[in-house]
Amino acid sequence: METKENQYHIVFFPWLAFGHIIPFLELSKSLASNGNGDIQISFISTPSIIKRLPPIYPPSLKNRISFVSVDLPSVDNLPAGCEATVDLKDGEQTQYLKIAYDELQAPVEKFLNEMKPDLVIFDVINCWIPDVGAKLNIRTAFFSVFSAPLLAFVGPISEYKDSNSERTPEYLTSVPEWIPFSSSLACRHHDAIGFNEVMNSKDATGLSTGDRLVRVVEGCTFVLLKSVVELDGDYVNLLKDLYQKPIIPIGLLPPRAHGSSASSKSGDSSTNINSEMFHWLDRQQPRSVVYVSFGSEYKMSIDEIHELAFGLESSELPFLWVLRKPEGIDQSSLLPSGFEDRIKSRGYMCFGWISQVEVLSHTAIGGSLFHSGSGSISENLFFGHNQILMPMIIDQGINARFLVEKGLGFEVQRNEDGSFTRDAVAEAMRIVMVEPEGQQLRQKTTEMSKNIFSDYDLHEDYIQKFVSSLGPLLNKE
């Protein structure tokens, strides 16, 4: 792809998880739509993932974004056809997906050498991109789909340069010493176990996430954050000190009316299910329904599903629950006996694919009970929904602490082992949605939604500032 002197060719290359892929795609569309057609995008991923991406909207961007398909090699212990984390049976298989992903270095380097782009925007897992960029004299930018508070909590890369395999999770259960201002960022004990393992334990690739982060931050030209200083400016500024690199917030990439989710491949039956679901929502009172979803990555156990079901039932609030059936479990045993009959007057169960943004945009939705994933946080607060937080994996606990710190969420109480009770679920739902105790949270959510999360002009300004800075950043001026 040839570019003129005043044009930029930017390559995007995300990790194989839709929680990463979709923000990368949204950023690519934002950049392609800015300027006068002077930014051309190449988006690298696997054939299966490219097929599952939403259509480019508006259609006028199609001639500015090209999808580059690279075949994922077969590796031991990775089931055939698994090209994304959502395809995996469990988290144990993720390390084998990383092995296959790391083997993409040669074909990706060949593509970059042929195309000579101005910039490669990459992820934390493909930590070898900065070395490739240095070899080919191509600038590289680490785009973090993780929040600025999360990266600040993880800390300076010096923390991960030496072997930390002997570290115990307890060091993560207090606010880090390098955060100099008042903060509540700390893991609960059950959060800390998984967080410590991911950051400090080497997997089958021979690397930990901490190892990868060191190579990423040391090697990249600059860092892009899905962030605005109006929300988390203290943490953004802290990262500038910790990383000693240019740190550039590019806005929160708020959802648009079209193309914000990975597409459904389930056919007409999914469409029919969604039609029934929206008809049910149409009959509910405005802002009365709690949307319940824990994403595609976390697989709940049957015990967790049953306890959550009893909590939803005892809350006496209307809810829409999108539930992914665990592999190997018959749907007849998925929910407690008689549950669907008991809640049918005020609850709706959805077992298929849905467009989360479309559901959240419905006037009946007023709150969300969810895992505190960063993408869902932005979507919920864009629509001004009150947040009931129940983090499940890795970064989600820190996300939840930050939201509580900002008065934008209420966390379901957990036992020390991370388990939860139906009573804790019901209590949190009622506090957030209807009880006087949650009134201040509801007011703050409405205010922040209007002033930050749904302010398109604010986020567009961040993108425009980044586009304007490309020349100096890439030494093209």
Side-chain angles (χ1 to χ4, degrees):
M1 180 183 295
E2 277 193 37
T3 56
K4 298 177 183 177
E5 187 176 341
N6 62 340
Q7 290 183 327
Y8 301 102
H9 177 199
I10 301 177
V11 172
F12 281 76
F13 185 25
W15 163 234
L16 306 176
F18 279 97
H20 293 236
I21 294 161
I22 296 303
F24 268 69
L25 184 60
E26 291 302 314
L27 178 56
S28 72
K29 290 191 293 185
S30 293
L31 294 182
S33 64
N34 270 268
N36 298 307
D38 55 352
I39 294 179
Q40 295 292 321
I41 304 294
S42 293
F43 195 99
I44 301 176
S45 198
T46 67
S48 169
I49 285 175
I50 291 172
K51 287 178 183 177
R52 284 182 271 183
L53 292 177
I56 295 297
Y57 188 88
S60 59
L61 294 181
K62 288 182 180 179
N63 63 352
R64 301 181 194 174
I65 301 176
S66 302
F67 291 100
V68 179
S69 179
V70 288
D71 292 325
L72 197 68
S74 298
V75 300
D76 292 341
N77 301 309
L78 181 66
C82 290
E83 295 188 5
T85 54
V86 71
D87 302 329
L88 304 177
K89 183 174 69 173
D90 53 44
E92 180 70 15
Q93 293 182 331
T94 303
Q95 59 189 326
Y96 306 114
L97 186 63
K98 288 179 182 177
I99 290 174
Y101 187 67
D102 286 340
E103 290 186 14
L104 294 179
Q105 179 172 346
V108 168
E109 181 173 335
K110 181 174 183 291
F111 170 78
L112 295 177
N113 190 39
E114 291 171 352
M115 302 306 291
K116 294 292 194 295
D118 298 289
L119 177 67
V120 180
I121 296 178
F122 71 105
D123 214 329
V124 70
I125 302 300
N126 44 351
C127 58
W128 34 267
I129 284 290
D131 289 340
V132 173
K135 178 180 177 181
L136 302 178
N137 194 29
I138 297 170
R139 302 290 189 272
T140 59
F142 167 42
F143 174 36
S144 175
V145 301
F146 302 108
S147 68
L150 186 280
L151 290 181
F153 175 77
V154 168
I157 58 172
S158 59
E159 289 289 306
Y160 303 94
K161 283 191 171 183
D162 298 322
S163 174
N164 292 323
S165 58
E166 302 303 315
R167 271 187 170 171
T168 61
E170 281 65 34
Y171 86 99
L172 295 165
T173 59
S174 58
V175 177
E177 61 184 12
W178 52 78
I179 297 182
F181 45 82
S182 178
S183 172
S184 60
L185 299 191
C187 290
R188 308 280 190 260
H189 180 73
H190 65 273
D191 296 328
I193 295 171
F195 202 112
N196 182 55
E197 183 175 354
V198 167
M199 292 304 302
N200 297 311
S201 296
K202 299 181 190 301
D203 59 23
T205 67
L207 297 171
S208 67
T209 299
D211 294 331
R212 291 180 186 268
L213 184 64
V214 169
R215 293 176 61 180
V216 163
V217 175
E218 283 191 333
C220 72
T221 310
F222 55 90
V223 177
L224 299 174
L225 293 178
K226 186 170 174 269
S227 171
V228 293
V229 297
E230 290 81 358
L231 178 68
D232 51 16
D234 287 347
Y235 294 102
V236 172
N237 290 331
L238 176 58
L239 280 174
K240 293 177 182 178
D241 292 335
L242 295 179
Y243 285 180
Q244 294 295 300
K245 292 265 179 171
I247 305 289
I248 303 169
I250 46 84
L252 297 173
L253 305 175
R256 300 284 176 173
H258 298 264
S260 295
S261 303
S263 61
S264 169
K265 297 298 178 187
S266 51
D268 291 340
S269 61
S270 178
T271 301
N272 292 336
I273 290 169
N274 287 350
S275 178
E276 293 173 12
M277 176 186 69
F278 282 109
H279 284 148
W280 180 84
L281 283 171
D282 290 342
R283 298 193 297 270
Q284 309 308 309
Q285 293 296 313
R287 297 192 58 79
S288 65
V289 176
V290 177
Y291 172 71
V292 184
S293 176
F294 288 84
S296 58
E297 302 292 340
Y298 181 72
K299 283 86 171 174
M300 276 191 166
S301 68
I302 286 295
D303 286 345
E304 287 177 321
I305 290 171
H306 282 205
E307 197 65 18
L308 180 58
F310 287 126
L312 296 175
E313 183 179 356
S314 61
S315 75
E316 301 183 347
L317 295 172
F319 63 87
L320 166 60
W321 186 4
V322 180
L323 177 58
R324 182 184 181 194
K325 185 175 75 69
E327 191 171 323
I329 300 296
D330 188 84
Q331 190 155 320
S332 62
S333 60
L334 186 59
L335 294 165
S337 177
F339 172 76
E340 289 186 88
D341 289 335
R342 294 194 302 273
I343 57 91
K344 63 183 178 183
S345 64
R346 61 175 178 83
Y348 191 94
M349 296 298 306
C350 181
F351 300 101
W353 177 90
I354 65 158
S355 167
Q356 178 164 290
V357 169
E358 286 186 43
V359 173
L360 293 177
S361 69
H362 196 284
T363 56
I365 303 295
S368 287
L369 170 59
F370 73 116
H371 53 9
S372 311
S374 58
S376 293
I377 290 169
S378 295
E379 291 172 355
N380 278 317
L381 288 171
F382 174 83
F383 293 108
H385 297 326
N386 306 308
Q387 299 187 111
I388 306 124
L389 310 171
M390 205 156 82
M392 292 297 186
I393 54 174
I394 316 304
D395 60 310
Q396 295 168 359
I398 297 300
N399 291 345
R401 305 300 115 70
F402 177 70
L403 290 171
V404 173
E405 180 180 294
K406 289 291 182 179
L408 294 172
F410 186 92
E411 193 171 349
V412 174
Q413 185 176 355
R414 307 289 271 275
N415 299 319
E416 189 166 339
D417 64 356
S419 62
F420 57 89
T421 67
R422 61 194 72 179
D423 291 341
V425 170
E427 179 185 24
M429 289 176 66
R430 293 196 61 81
I431 286 173
V432 169
M433 293 298 293
V434 296
E435 299 292 352
E437 186 179 340
Q439 181 61 29
Q440 187 173 351
L441 182 152
R442 294 190 287 271
Q443 290 175 345
K444 185 70 175 289
T445 297
T446 300
E447 173 192 323
M448 294 287 273
S449 174
K450 178 182 177 181
N451 294 337
I452 295 179
F453 289 90
S454 64
D455 185 346
Y456 276 125
D457 290 340
L458 173 68
H459 302 288
E460 187 71 11
D461 187 54
Y462 275 92
I463 292 293
Q464 290 178 357
K465 286 178 179 176
F466 172 55
V467 171
S468 298
S469 70
L470 277 173
L473 285 167
L474 303 179
N475 292 337
K476 288 192 75 170
E477 290 183 0

